[in-house]
Amino acid sequence: MVKRNRIDVDAFFAEVDQTQEVYNLRERIETLEEKLDQTVSREQELVAEIEQLRLHPMNQQESQQLQHQLNTLREHLKESQGSVQYPVSKISQNQNQPRKTFTEEVESMVLSLQTEGQLDPIILFEDGMLFDGECRWRAAQVLGWETLEAVFTFKPEDAKTLRRKAYLTSLHRRGLNALDKAETLVAIACDEISGLPPEEVPRIVNRVLTRLKRKQRTLGDRLHLQPREQQQIVLAQLELEPVEAQVIAVFLGLQEHPVSLNRNIFPALNLTPDLKSAVREKALGCAQALILNRLSAKELGILDKQILKLREQGVQKVLNENLSTAATQQWVAQQKADYLKSPTSNVRDKQVERLLTIVQEVDLSNVSLPEQRQELKQALETLLKQLQ
């Protein structure tokens, strides 16, 4: 992208004789600068509008409005700058984009690119970060494409504010699963509280709620819907630590109740990597993923690779048979019962493996007394009979 650096008009003319011709030239440059300012401002307005529209629970009319805004921005950028073939490998994801789950859309886009080619350029920020076209970018990687047609726009100066506004605009957030929503909320809290580690955010919420419960106090069922002044009064009465009050205030300001987040949203952060991948890549429901997350190698006494295989079986069963949460709970309970109670379970296999390791490492070269050798032989023969 050609950088649209601004000319310092006053400095440029500072040492030039102020003839009428120079005055005219200066006036013309200033006019062009104003037009450029208006163009950039319009681009940024479109970017902000599109970001807000993306997370709104869209009906058909709103979806058409979003597409219209994107087309308007894309055509504007093509006319003002032209498009380029940009290396796929240099394109980066927008980490401020709350939505991170893409499934059938990518598969559909792969087919579209194969049959129709790239119909519209993707939109990138100046540094190669995606603004629009993530499905095309993912599909291009699947197909092994080296470049994509792209146009560029200015990156918003305050991405943190943009993320908060985009989230707040979406009152129902039907486009976000619990995992995407949890990660976005944690990111917003860290944006607004300097130095707060992401992993501390859900811990703080849980710690506050646990302490309040112990003291038989609550935040109030509708505190997230109260004016900010009322929220601050309630928080002050609860005598929270400063960082605790800040975290709770951030979520209340987003119209999110900490109790609901602690119970329904933040647990998604504890999903194992394979289940997070299943949620995002295979459209596994977060509710079912949380149930499958209860299958752990430690609890069942099996190896890590075995628990991965078992959870994968669970993911496939949920997806293939469209299992409800209740049915998924039953399947998980059955797997636990089978592993923990079956005499041929892998728990016993692990014990046998340990015993085999001990036996194989026994060194009898220094055992010289015939009596001891005879005793050892008899013990092993007794054990062999037990195994048979």
Side-chain angles (χ1 to χ4, degrees), residues 53-58 97-102 105 167 170-181 184:
L53 280 169
R54 274 174 165 165
L55 290 180
H56 194 75
M58 287 183 285
Q97 166 62 269
R99 184 186 180 203
K100 294 181 174 61
T101 300
F102 298 83
E105 295 96 330
Y167 187 83
S170 175
L171 293 178
H172 302 291
R173 303 166 190 108
R174 288 188 300 196
L176 293 180
N177 57 46
L179 179 59
D180 287 351
K181 183 173 178 177
T184 302

Side-chain angles (χ1 to χ4, degrees), residues 1 70 73-79 81-86 118 120-126 129 131-132 148-153:
M1 176 185 183
L70 281 169
L73 178 61
R74 186 179 290 107
E75 290 305 315
H76 167 81
L77 294 172
K78 285 181 70 174
E79 290 177 4
Q81 310 167 31
S83 62
V84 299
Q85 287 295 325
Y86 195 77
Q118 185 182 357
D120 296 309
I122 59 174
I123 303 176
L124 302 176
F125 292 124
E126 295 166 292
M129 180 185 290
F131 173 66
D132 178 67
L148 278 171
E149 184 184 8
V151 291
F152 292 83
T153 185

Side-chain angles (χ1 to χ4, degrees), residues 255-306:
Q255 301 174 26
E256 298 287 357
H257 200 293
V259 171
S260 177
L261 296 179
N262 192 53
R263 180 189 302 138
N264 305 317
I265 303 301
F266 286 154
L269 297 171
N270 297 323
L271 289 173
T272 54
D274 56 308
L275 290 174
K276 286 183 179 179
S277 176
V279 168
R280 289 186 166 138
E281 304 300 332
K282 300 179 181 179
L284 175 67
C286 273
Q288 285 87 344
L290 287 169
I291 296 170
L292 294 174
N293 205 47
R294 299 170 188 167
L295 294 171
S296 72
K298 183 178 180 181
E299 182 181 0
L300 299 186
I302 60 178
L303 302 175
D304 289 342
K305 62 181 181 181
Q306 292 175 303

